[in-house]
Amino acid sequence: IQQDALPSEEENGILPRKKPALRSQSDLGDDDSPVESVQTVLQEMWPYIDKVVQHKVHEHVADSINQLTPDRLKFRFEEFSLGEDPPVLGEMRIRRTANGQGLLLYVPIDYKSSAKLNLVAGPIRIGLCGLRVRGDIMIRLGPIIQCSPIIGGLSFYFLDPPLIDFRLTGLASVAELAGRGHLVRKSVEHAIGQFLVIPNRIAVPIATKEQGVDPALVRCPAPIGVLRVQAVSAEKLLAGDWDGSSDPYVCVVLGKSRWCSHAIAKTLNPTWGPNDHNCFLIWSMRQRLKVSVWDKDWMS
């Protein structure tokens, strides 16, 4: 499944939106201020969003790291904040949902945080800084109903895992050398996927069952299909081991779901069997399928 450029407006009724002009916090006072863009609203809501995300990070990220590290090392967040500046929103686009009963907003975000995060476990301290998150947030409005409140529910999520980058500081160089730095990175990505990458989402039902809206379908709409992926073969792979060979396996990511094939020992031209396959649920034809090949050995 490939997510190409969005179809033309004539094809799918997608309406382009101009990139919003930014306003600084100093421009907004206690009096009523004109809402020039979604960016303005986001600026006002950012302190509250920061509090919610802090709770999620403390609840999910630290636990994810602890599940992947030795029992003697238990990390906790000593300091965490998203910082004062909200993400910059790109050009938004809107289209109808596949069933025609709602609207979808595509909102590109680019978040560069000046905030610093500190993880501590006894004498070990790992700092995270220079956090950057890039991706497309989907905002789903629907179903649309013929009575108040018109919009039956609201949800938002990433179709694909966002691109996440950050630097490790403090004793992080020791963690990198000990093979633990990648666990921190993996845990951050996993924690975001746990509540924001499809099929997971943050959803708020607005209408009631009596108005014909099922809250369960707002929180988790039914998938539109199933994709079966099978590892077949590869040729002329790069050597990952010192003896010039490798132990390759295939890793496939779609939304939050991840699947890895069996590793084939000592070869650069692997062939996998018919049982090396997996089925993925599909929620949107715009999801991207990410395929990569890795060497099984830990040291390489």
Side-chain angles (χ1 to χ4, degrees):
I1 296 177
Q2 182 178 359
Q3 179 177 351
D4 299 320
L6 291 174
S8 66
E9 290 82 351
E10 292 77 14
E11 291 174 341
N12 279 321
I14 304 175
L15 307 178
R17 292 291 180 264
K18 294 182 180 180
K19 188 173 182 178
L22 304 183
R23 303 182 67 211
S24 65
Q25 184 69 33
S26 60
D27 294 334
L28 301 174
D30 294 330
D31 298 330
D32 293 342
S33 300
V35 180
E36 297 177 353
S37 68
V38 176
Q39 190 76 44
T40 306
V41 178
L42 183 61
Q43 182 79 45
E44 289 293 286
M45 293 180 62
W46 192 242
Y48 306 99
I49 295 174
D50 184 26
K51 295 293 185 183
V52 173
V53 174
Q54 282 186 36
H55 173 73
K56 292 291 185 180
V57 166
H58 284 281
E59 181 179 351
H60 293 288
V61 178
D63 287 345
S64 297
I65 295 174
N66 289 332
Q67 290 174 10
L68 297 173
T69 53
D71 292 339
R72 65 179 180 277
L73 295 178
K74 293 300 179 184
F75 285 96
R76 61 179 177 82
F77 275 95
E78 182 183 56
E79 176 185 358
F80 172 77
S81 172
L82 290 176
E84 298 180 356
D85 299 322
V88 174
L89 304 182
E91 182 183 54
M92 292 183 289
R93 301 175 74 87
I94 187 171
R95 66 172 298 167
R96 295 179 181 87
T97 56
N99 59 14
Q101 297 180 0
L103 297 174
L104 280 175
L105 284 172
Y106 294 78
V107 186
I109 66 166
D110 189 350
Y111 173 53
K112 300 177 182 178
S113 175
S114 58
K116 294 183 178 180
L117 297 73
N118 289 323
L119 274 166
V120 295
I124 298 178
R125 182 185 301 271
I126 296 179
L128 285 74
C129 64
L131 176 64
R132 185 175 186 181
V133 179
R134 289 173 291 169
D136 293 334
I137 281 280
M138 305 293 128
I139 302 176
R140 184 185 180 101
L141 307 173
I144 306 298
I145 58 178
Q146 301 296 320
C147 59
S148 178
I150 300 178
I151 297 174
L154 169 68
S155 62
F156 60 94
Y157 50 87
F158 286 102
L159 273 183
D160 306 298
L163 299 177
I164 303 172
D165 190 27
F166 52 83
R167 299 190 305 275
L168 298 176
T169 61
L171 292 180
S173 58
V174 177
E176 292 280 14
L177 291 175
R180 299 299 175 189
H182 75 284
L183 297 180
V184 177
R185 297 180 184 275
K186 182 178 179 181
S187 298
V188 171
E189 295 174 356
H190 174 74
I192 291 178
Q194 282 293 97
F195 66 97
L196 264 182
V197 178
I198 200 168
N200 298 323
R201 65 191 67 206
I202 295 178
V204 181
I206 299 175
T208 64
K209 283 187 176 181
E210 289 73 19
Q211 294 174 308
V213 176
D214 187 346
L217 291 179
V218 173
R219 296 187 179 95
C220 188
I224 63 173
V226 176
L227 176 68
R228 186 178 187 273
V229 177
Q230 180 174 343
V232 179
S233 64
E235 296 180 353
K236 300 179 181 179
L237 297 177
L238 296 177
D241 296 338
W242 62 271
D243 59 357
S245 65
S246 190
D247 306 305
Y249 66 96
V250 177
C251 184
V252 180
V253 177
L254 184 66
K256 179 186 173 294
S257 301
R258 178 188 180 96
W259 169 77
C260 293
S261 71
H262 293 91
I264 307 299
K266 304 298 181 183
T267 181
L268 301 181
N269 302 286
T271 299
W272 286 272
N275 292 328
D276 264 310
H277 68 270
N278 188 63
C279 292
F280 293 90
L281 293 177
I282 304 298
W283 275 266
S284 170
M285 292 300 292
R286 295 179 179 272
Q287 290 181 258
R288 289 188 179 99
L289 184 74
K290 181 180 178 181
V291 181
S292 55
V293 180
W294 297 86
D295 179 24
K296 181 70 173 180
D297 294 340
W298 179 76
M299 289 301 293
S300 57

